[in-house]
Structures are given as C-alpha cells and as structure tokens.
Amino acid sequence: MAWQHITGIRINSRNFKVVDEFVTNLQKELNIYRLRSKWIHIKFVKSVDGDMGDCIGDTNEVDIRIDKTMDWKDQMITLAHEMVHAEQFLRGKLSEDGLLWRNRNYEKCTYERLPWEMSAHQLEEKLYDKCYPYLL
C-alpha cells in the first residue's frame, strides 16, 4: 500500500480513524494499494484557495488538501475526488503541471471538459458510497 500521511485531524480522534480507513479502502478500490514506495499526503486545512480541495503530485508522491470548514460528508466526497487525481498522478496519466493527460495537451480546455476532472466527478460519489467505513 502507498504510504499515507494525514494531518489536520487529531490522531487519537474517531475522525482520524475513519479517514485512515477510508483512504485505505480508496487505495484498494483505485488499485493503487500495491504502490508501496509511493506517498499520499492528506492535509485538512481551513481554506484551499476558494476550492473544496486540491491535489498536486507526480509519479512518486501526491499532496491533497481538503477544506475542513465544509460538512463532514462533503469533505469525504471531496477526498474521494482528490484520490482519483492521486491515482492519475501516481500512474503517470496526469502530468505534474496538470496540463497533459496521457501525453495530450489540454491547456486550452475548460475545467468542465478536462478528462481528469470528468473522471473524478463521475467517480466521487460512487467511491464514497463503496469505500466509506460506515461501521467506524
């Protein structure tokens, strides 16, 4: 499993355990759990520059930020969305600068038509429903 590092939530809290289990489940569902030498850094922050979350990275590690001022479910759906981007970066589908998708330039494409965003939006609710650890 890729190493996961979660900050912005108290380590001994129930929420930390839920997020840790959720990310583990997402890794399995996105088939990145075998990427043992990779890192996924997740930080819950008070603001993500007006966005709900973001993800930057490369084929070795990704940094995800989630706006913790949203309600819990929205945070978790956003985390599922950003984990799709994590998979895209770690597998080399999405370039480090976020302009190339499978070696094609999408610099002039609108946000709604970017293939990596379309994929993440399509999967976020399904991933939440399938991977969220309701029993914790």
Side-chain angles (χ1 to χ4, degrees):
M1 180 153 354
W3 295 94
Q4 52 196 48
H5 180 244
I6 302 163
T7 58
I9 298 176
R10 279 187 240 123
I11 292 174
N12 295 330
S13 72
R14 176 188 173 278
N15 288 349
F16 181 87
K17 292 173 188 161
V18 168
V19 171
D20 188 55
E21 183 70 24
F22 185 42
V23 173
T24 298
N25 294 344
L26 288 167
Q27 283 198 55
K28 290 176 184 172
E29 189 63 28
L30 293 167
N31 203 24
I32 55 176
Y33 66 98
R34 292 185 179 147
L35 304 177
R36 290 182 176 90
S37 64
K38 313 299 182 181
W39 276 93
I40 301 171
H41 304 278
I42 300 165
K43 188 172 191 175
F44 288 83
V45 297
K46 289 185 180 177
S47 175
V48 186
D49 306 322
D51 293 327
M52 296 168 74
D54 64 12
C55 180
I56 58 171
D58 56 34
T59 56
N60 292 312
E61 70 180 310
V62 293
D63 292 304
I64 294 173
R65 295 184 305 162
I66 304 295
D67 184 341
K68 67 180 177 182
T69 64
M70 299 183 292
D71 71 52
W72 183 252
K73 184 176 180 182
D74 287 340
Q75 289 178 56
M76 296 301 101
I77 291 172
T78 301
L79 179 54
H81 177 104
E82 299 307 335
M83 281 294 291
V84 173
H85 294 318
E87 182 270 338
Q88 295 164 345
F89 280 117
L90 293 173
R91 294 235 181 253
K93 296 175 186 176
L94 184 58
S95 66
E96 291 179 41
D97 60 8
L99 299 175
L100 297 179
W101 172 256
R102 299 182 187 234
N103 296 321
R104 285 190 165 161
N105 190 322
Y106 285 85
E107 187 174 4
K108 295 181 181 180
C109 195
T110 62
Y111 174 84
E112 298 82 21
R113 306 284 294 158
L114 295 169
W116 57 90
E117 289 298 339
M118 290 171 60
S119 176
H121 283 293
Q122 182 180 32
L123 291 172
E124 63 189 25
E125 293 267 352
K126 293 175 189 172
L127 288 169
Y128 172 78
D129 290 340
K130 187 168 186 176
C131 299
Y132 189 79
Y134 292 100
L135 298 177
L136 283 182

